[in-house]
Amino acid sequence: MQKSEPCKLCFNFKRIRKKEVYQAFLEIYAHGGIELNNQELISFLARHTNLGSEASITTLFYRYKQHVHV
């Protein structure tokens, strides 16, 4: 019996830019709406979304985080 793939939240990047997705997550994060630390959030996004690998998410997360002042 094969192990099933975990559910993923897949964003349609033909209709929204990755930057907009990151900005939405970071705004919620900045207001205390996500109860994870930076690394936990990055790992979660890598496992459960189509935003990219943990390394690419880390790079973009910190780049966009500077603009949001989290």
Side-chain angles (χ1 to χ4, degrees):
M1 186 171 179
Q2 282 186 315
K3 190 175 182 180
S4 64
E5 287 290 316
C7 293
K8 283 196 170 195
L9 177 62
C10 292
F11 299 99
N12 182 346
F13 295 119
K14 292 177 183 174
R15 296 180 177 255
I16 190 168
R17 295 179 300 160
K18 279 189 180 184
K19 182 177 182 176
E20 294 169 308
V21 174
Y22 281 101
Q23 287 173 332
F25 274 107
L26 285 168
E27 186 172 328
I28 295 167
Y29 187 77
H31 289 94
I34 299 174
E35 294 183 346
L36 299 172
N37 66 34
N38 289 345
Q39 189 54 51
E40 290 169 335
L41 178 57
I42 290 165
S43 295
F44 177 86
L45 293 174
R47 278 192 315 271
H48 300 291
T49 72
N50 62 335
L51 286 171
S53 69
E54 203 164 319
S56 67
I57 291 172
T58 299
T59 300
L60 293 173
F61 179 84
Y62 286 105
R63 180 181 303 157
Y64 297 139
K65 191 175 176 185
Q66 291 174 352
H67 298 296
V68 177
H69 307 293
V70 176

